[in-house]
Amino acid sequence: MTHLQAGLSSETTEKARQELNENPDTLHADIQQVRDMIVTRPDIGFLRTDDDFILRFLRARKFNQAETFRLLAQYFQFRQQNLDMFQSFKVDDPGIKRALMDGFPGVLETPDQHGRKILILFASNWDQGRSSFTDILRAILLSLEVLIENQELQINGFILIIDWSNFSFKQASKLTPNILKLAIEGLQDSFPARFGGIHFVNQPWYIHAMYTIIKPFLKDKTRKRIFLHGNNLNSLHQLILPDCLPSEFGGTLPPYDMGIWARTLLGPNYNDETEYTLTYDALHVKGSYGGGDKECANKLMKRSESAVEPGTLRQADRDNTAQPLLALD
């Protein structure tokens, strides 16, 4: 194990070898091969090229150097092409702060059974008078920047659960093709994270219709990892064990406190009136995130109204399994 793998468990190191083709004997050479390609794209400002940074891109593309460099280039190109999104890319930016405090995203402390970090979005929490969709996307990207510093997550990856309960047609109408395309480019094409699954629960019919808009922009691999569960949490539990989920998703964990992740980034004593001075530099951050301090919460931020009692399942179509979005063809 090289110093670049310091802190990894033996199980995760073996997983990286088997699933990602990671070889500690050639790690530095693999990184240097990617770094040598930078001269081929003088149009892009590569603002960070250290070993640790390039390694996360290699892991995201299973050590295929050409695909790794393409992702690295797209990462910085996306930021160059959307300068307004990243000019104040820090936790004390008012738009990002509001989105975080509204629970975009929620980050569960307990990983799934495969070690993947679970992110949750309660769509109905989007107050369009308070946060723009762009601010929500920025808050998600900033959160991922913090999380991806953790080497275990670079290897194990992430799971995203979106609860569409009480998400109105009026709210959905604000998800324009341009906004959806921006989100797909930022998350699917330009960020070094491994997403093992994207799960929709309690989605209304117009979210199905939205798929026809985003389908042309999705890679086949991405489409196969998106699942529509409707109100059938049993199918969700076939993919993510209830022991890993809060009660909102029929899990055995307590209801999720939407303030946990916001407090992790904004500090332990925040409230709605606090002005923050903490900053986060996505290109130079060192160290990994810490856990939230549950005792400092002044309130539980609003959650989906779809919560069920721990350990219980919704009754509809209990014998059905989740359908990937691709099955809507």
Side-chain angles (χ1 to χ4, degrees), residues 75 79 89 141-149 191 280 282:
Y75 174 91
R79 281 149 179 73
F89 193 50
L141 287 171
L142 181 62
S143 297
L144 285 171
E145 291 281 4
V146 176
L147 293 166
I148 205 64
E149 289 290 321
F191 196 84
Y280 169 76

Side-chain angles (χ1 to χ4, degrees), residues 115-273:
R116 298 174 295 194
K117 181 63 73 174
I118 302 174
L119 277 61
I120 55 177
L121 301 176
F122 293 106
S124 64
N125 282 6
W126 179 24
D127 182 345
Q128 295 168 2
R130 178 176 165 89
S131 299
S132 69
F133 183 83
T134 301
D135 286 333
I136 289 175
L137 178 59
R138 294 168 70 220
I140 293 171
L141 287 171
L142 181 62
S143 297
L144 285 171
E145 291 281 4
V146 176
L147 293 166
I148 205 64
E149 289 290 321
N150 185 312
Q151 288 205 66
E152 297 274 341
L153 297 183
Q154 293 173 17
I155 295 167
N156 292 328
F158 298 86
I159 292 291
L160 176 62
I161 305 176
I162 306 176
D163 187 346
W164 296 98
S165 299
N166 305 312
F167 188 72
S168 69
F169 184 83
K170 181 179 180 181
Q171 287 174 303
S173 68
K174 301 297 183 181
L175 298 176
T176 65
N178 286 339
I179 284 177
L180 294 171
K181 185 173 183 291
L182 182 69
I184 293 168
E185 289 175 348
L187 295 170
Q188 173 187 257
D189 301 325
S190 308
F191 196 84
R194 305 181 66 212
F195 279 94
I198 302 172
H199 302 270
F200 289 7
V201 298
N202 301 312
Q203 71 279 357
W205 66 267
Y206 37 86
I207 296 303
H208 288 261
M210 185 179 69
Y211 173 67
T212 63
I213 297 174
I214 68 174
K215 180 181 175 181
F217 306 115
L218 295 177
K219 296 176 180 177
D220 184 63
K221 181 172 69 173
T222 301
R223 280 182 281 164
K224 290 178 178 178
R225 292 178 179 174
I226 300 178
F227 296 90
L228 294 176
H229 299 280
N231 62 1
N232 177 21
L233 295 184
N234 185 49
S235 66
L236 176 67
H237 296 167
Q238 292 176 17
L239 300 172
I240 307 174
L241 295 180
D243 290 349
C244 308
L245 295 170
S247 60
E248 288 90 337
F249 302 107
T252 60
L253 298 179
Y256 181 67
D257 172 4
M258 276 298 175
I260 289 178
W261 181 241
R263 288 193 295 276
T264 299
L265 296 186
L266 294 169
N269 298 313
Y270 88 93
N271 57 49
D272 287 352
E273 289 74 37

